[in-house]
Amino acid sequence: MRPVPGIEDLLRLHAPQVLGALVRRYGHFDLAEDATQEALLAAAQQWPAAGVPDNPRGWLIKVASRRLTEALRSEEARRRREQTVAALTPRDAFTAPAPSESRAPSDDDTLTLLFLCCHPELTPAAQIALTLRAVGGLTTAEIARAHLVPEATMAQRVSRAKQRVRGVPFRQPGPEDRDQRLAAVLQVLYLIFNEGYTATSGSDLHRADLAREAIRLTRAVRRLLPRDGAVTGLLALMLLTDARSAARTGPHGELIPLDEQDRTRWDGDAITEGTALVEEALSEGPAGAYQLQAAIAALHDEAARAEDTDWPQILALYDLLVRRAPEPMAELGRAVAVAMVHGPEAGLAEVAGLEGRLAGHHRLDAVRAHLLEKAGDIEGARAAYRSAAARTLSVPETRYLQMRAARLGPPV
């Protein structure tokens, strides 16, 4: 045994590989996931005092396998299941391999597990919960806290998701639908990141644990698919966006908009890495949504001052983005770019064209308020800020929008 710092990170690194090994060997996703969690808990309790084993992954597989076979024995078809397990289990299944041996599962299990957790029969909420639990190694309580729901509610969501994928073969999708399934995996990772970077509800603007977890998982996917432009682009987008985190809130948790942030507090290392990844992603084939959004983020991050931002180039990238991946939020971002290049009135005309698809969304009102203020329509801006404040569930955003409305003075 050897004492090693960062046990939590080590457990999260091995969690999907251990679970993948159990599911591939025995099936029974739900029981395998429970057994993996029990092994992780045992390690968290034992390793700090005893030290980390020379082969931590082998240790975890050994413990999880024992827990799984115990669970299988307790079911009604005990004898039949034991025979099946015995037939499938190698002789040395319960002996941790030596550090030099390669019998442990390959990292490909992580990607296979992601495909399973993002199975198309699951809802997006279930995909996110199962991904964080099975691949991220988060406990149900941690996932519940991150999403501001009771632990019992999240436990039911995770349980239903595990039951839903029970019996689904543990293998990567075939070439005919692999791209579509990979797109679903990346979308789930992006949703996790967005919820961490700008929480949709609650008292905190930023949930750093979720954002970090999304970045960690995306790095894992990129290690497996290093030449995939969408994967590289998504990682770049996350890094370039998260680089601004420290400057997004004031001392009391108040929101600070991009053009007012202290850019010396941005993470220069993340910006350097993200910018290099953008260049790499754009060289790996036709630019998709993640690559283009990452390129836009890079232009923002490379500007030393807000007034140095290359808005014409950002607008050109948004034009490409909305043509290749038409989506209302991308078009709302383009409306801001139009306003910065051609004036607030031009931007307001773009916003008006989004009324049907974003009706009732607080971000539409917030952008409209900002552009009305720039255009000199104080009354209209005040009303739009108040409308946006009433529609968001985020406490920091509500306070910020109310402050912007109050700053414009009382109604005439």
Side-chain angles (χ1 to χ4, degrees), residues 64-142:
S65 295
R66 285 175 174 168
R67 302 294 170 86
L68 178 57
T69 54
E70 289 171 2
L72 290 171
R73 288 193 186 100
S74 68
E75 296 196 353
E76 289 185 13
R78 179 174 64 88
R79 187 166 302 172
R80 180 171 55 83
R81 289 185 182 279
E82 284 181 345
Q83 292 172 348
T84 302
V85 171
L88 293 173
T89 304
R91 290 182 184 178
D92 59 349
F94 300 124
T95 303
S100 60
E101 293 184 17
S102 60
R103 184 171 58 78
S106 70
D107 284 346
D108 284 344
D109 281 347
T110 300
L111 185 59
T112 305
L113 197 57
L114 273 168
F115 280 124
L116 183 61
C117 292
C118 298
H119 196 276
E121 290 188 7
L122 297 176
T123 66
Q127 291 174 339
I128 290 172
L130 195 58
T131 297
L132 289 174
R133 168 85 179 191
V135 188
L138 275 65
T139 65
T140 302
E142 288 173 325

Side-chain angles (χ1 to χ4, degrees), residues 160 256 327:
R160 285 195 297 267
I256 301 176
E327 191 271 328

Side-chain angles (χ1 to χ4, degrees), residues 50-396:
V52 177
D54 291 333
N55 188 338
R57 184 165 54 183
W59 189 99
L60 290 166
I61 292 172
K62 173 183 175 181
V63 173
S65 295
R66 285 175 174 168
R67 302 294 170 86
L68 178 57
T69 54
E70 289 171 2
L72 290 171
R73 288 193 186 100
S74 68
E75 296 196 353
E76 289 185 13
R78 179 174 64 88
R79 187 166 302 172
R80 180 171 55 83
R81 289 185 182 279
E82 284 181 345
Q83 292 172 348
T84 302
V85 171
L88 293 173
T89 304
R91 290 182 184 178
D92 59 349
F94 300 124
T95 303
S100 60
E101 293 184 17
S102 60
R103 184 171 58 78
S106 70
D107 284 346
D108 284 344
D109 281 347
T110 300
L111 185 59
T112 305
L113 197 57
L114 273 168
F115 280 124
L116 183 61
C117 292
C118 298
H119 196 276
E121 290 188 7
L122 297 176
T123 66
Q127 291 174 339
I128 290 172
L130 195 58
T131 297
L132 289 174
R133 168 85 179 191
V135 188
L138 275 65
T139 65
T140 302
E142 288 173 325
I143 302 170
R145 283 196 300 271
H147 287 84
L148 303 179
V149 300
E151 184 176 350
T153 300
M154 187 56 68
Q156 290 178 349
R157 185 178 299 173
V158 172
S159 178
R160 285 195 297 267
K162 289 193 290 186
Q163 291 296 322
R164 191 77 174 175
V165 299
R166 188 174 187 176
V168 175
F170 188 74
R171 60 171 179 262
Q172 293 194 18
E176 67 280 358
D177 61 350
R178 187 175 182 278
D179 288 347
Q180 183 177 358
R181 292 286 297 278
L182 178 60
V185 168
L186 298 184
Q187 178 66 13
V188 166
L189 295 178
Y190 192 33
L191 288 171
I192 294 171
F193 175 80
N194 282 336
E195 182 60 27
Y197 187 72
T198 303
T200 54
S201 61
S203 58
D204 296 324
L205 179 70
H206 187 223
R207 295 178 194 158
D209 53 344
L210 277 183
R212 284 196 302 267
E213 185 61 21
I215 292 173
R216 186 184 74 83
L217 292 175
T218 306
R219 284 191 188 279
V221 175
R222 185 170 182 270
R223 283 196 296 271
L224 301 171
L225 301 171
R227 304 304 300 172
D228 189 287
V231 176
T232 303
L234 178 58
L235 179 58
L237 175 58
M238 289 180 179
L239 291 171
L240 291 165
T241 304
D242 197 58
R244 312 174 200 139
S245 295
R248 294 180 68 228
T249 54
H252 305 293
E254 66 273 20
L255 186 153
I256 301 176
L258 180 63
D259 59 350
E260 297 177 16
Q261 290 175 14
D262 177 1
R263 300 185 177 215
T264 63
R265 300 185 64 199
W266 288 1
D267 186 338
D269 291 340
I271 292 172
T272 299
E273 181 184 2
T275 301
L277 287 173
V278 170
E279 295 175 358
E280 183 179 331
L282 292 175
S283 70
E284 292 172 346
Y290 296 126
Q291 296 96 309
L292 291 170
Q293 289 179 83
I296 291 169
L299 287 172
H300 281 296
D301 287 7
E302 289 171 346
R305 302 174 303 163
E307 53 267 34
D308 297 331
T309 304
D310 189 348
W311 283 107
Q313 183 63 22
I314 289 176
L315 177 56
L317 288 169
Y318 266 120
D319 286 340
L320 280 175
L321 177 61
V322 298
R323 281 202 301 269
R324 295 184 182 180
E327 191 271 328
M329 282 300 171
E331 294 182 42
L332 188 60
R334 179 181 176 277
V336 174
V338 168
M340 297 303 294
V341 175
H342 300 296
E345 290 81 4
L348 285 167
E350 298 290 334
V351 169
L354 295 171
E355 285 286 356
R357 285 176 291 167
L358 287 176
H361 200 293
H362 77 279
R363 295 202 187 284
L364 182 71
D365 282 333
V367 170
R368 180 189 292 109
H370 176 66
L371 297 184
L372 286 170
E373 183 179 356
K374 291 179 71 70
D377 184 349
I378 303 303
E379 289 295 320
R382 185 188 301 109
Y385 278 129
R386 288 178 173 172
S387 176
R391 285 172 168 162
T392 181
L393 299 177
S394 166
V395 174

